[in-house]
Amino acid sequence: MSISYQALKQRVLEANLDLPRLGLVSFTWGNVSARDAASGAIAIKPSGLAYECMGVDDMVVVAPDGRVLEGSRKPSSDLATHLELYRYFPALGGIVHTHSTWATAWAQACRSIPALGTTHADYFHGPVPCTDALSLAQIRGAYEHETGVAIVECLRSRGIDPASMPAALVAHHGPFTWGPDAEAAVHNAAVLELTAQMAALTLQLQPGLMPMPQPLLDRHFLRKHGPGAYYGQG
């Protein structure tokens, strides 16, 4: 029995088109993927195709091992990074990679984004981590796969739950965000860009400022997330 991936491809197309609309990408930079929980199939943007030229049939559907299941285009060159994140974090339903200006500036500086205020705390339960720089062997080897390995190792070595920290910076490269679906991952990418800008401007005004108090960070994060959350109408 054949499986239809049309709804998955449509969802991924719309999520990718949100990136330029939100000012998170220029030219052909960036990509969004989404995973179908039932089949395990993953749809992702095609490599190097301009956003204004993309249609639903340009999306590429792959198996968890990267085999193309549907689509005539080459999948994003960052596919192996996405696959590594899905492999190690099975709760993820969507992943976004951009080169958005402010978040990328922090990544190029190889600096984690400190939690300085409640806007940050509403989404990220602590500083947004930056990976270690990739080794020469990683760069010369399976580079995109190793990028995913670096993100996974960054979170695991620091005891970070990807559900409470839906973002990471890759040193010298740029940001990745994720969520339970593609729409949430895009939303987190937009919030990350704003909080990266706020942090940079704050440190210009007050160099050496210490992170916000932990109880305030916890209160703001937990009022929106977790079993005791009370923010919003849900």
Side-chain angles (χ1 to χ4, degrees):
M1 185 172 105
S2 64
I3 299 174
S4 173
Y5 301 112
Q6 199 68 14
L8 179 63
K9 292 192 297 183
Q10 182 65 41
R11 193 170 194 176
V12 169
L13 170 65
E14 292 173 4
N16 273 285
L17 293 179
D18 279 340
L19 297 184
R21 181 180 65 81
L22 292 168
L24 298 175
V25 298
S26 301
F27 309 111
T28 61
W29 307 348
N31 41 73
V32 181
S33 71
R35 175 166 58 181
D36 178 68
S39 67
I42 297 157
I44 195 167
K45 173 185 177 288
S47 178
L49 196 65
Y51 289 90
E52 62 269 20
C53 299
M54 290 193 312
V56 66
D57 291 332
D58 293 311
M59 302 300 104
V60 185
V61 182
V62 302
D65 62 5
R67 289 179 297 110
V68 174
L69 301 175
E70 187 170 294
S72 59
R73 301 283 192 181
K74 288 170 54 181
S76 167
S77 58
D78 292 311
L79 172 63
T81 306
H82 290 239
L83 294 180
E84 186 70 3
L85 293 175
Y86 285 126
R87 176 186 172 196
Y88 275 95
F89 304 128
L92 304 190
I95 296 170
V96 174
H97 172 49
T98 75
H99 290 260
S100 60
T101 302
W102 291 90
T104 299
W106 284 90
Q108 290 181 167
C110 302
R111 289 187 60 183
S112 299
I113 303 173
L116 300 176
T118 61
T119 307
H120 181 118
D122 282 340
Y123 287 86
F124 308 113
H125 199 194
V128 176
C130 184
T131 70
D132 293 336
L134 269 64
S135 68
L136 185 58
Q138 288 176 306
I139 294 167
R140 289 179 172 174
Y143 170 67
E144 289 81 8
H145 167 76
E146 294 292 350
T147 299
V149 170
I151 297 170
V152 170
E153 178 59 23
C154 175
L155 299 184
R156 294 177 79 180
S157 66
R158 303 180 199 188
I160 298 173
D161 178 1
S164 62
M165 179 54 62
L169 308 177
V170 177
H172 305 295
H173 187 166
F176 283 80
T177 60
W178 47 82
D181 52 44
E183 295 83 0
V186 169
H187 184 76
N188 289 333
V191 172
L192 178 65
E193 178 65 1
L194 291 171
T195 54
Q197 181 181 16
M198 291 176 188
L201 294 173
T202 299
L203 291 174
Q204 286 181 27
L205 292 168
Q206 187 73 3
L209 179 68
M210 296 298 291
M212 66 189 299
Q214 188 68 39
L216 183 59
L217 172 68
D218 293 342
R219 182 61 187 249
H220 267 262
F221 184 82
L222 295 174
R223 74 175 189 165
K224 292 189 74 170
H225 309 276
Y230 59 88
Y231 178 90
Q233 300 300 313

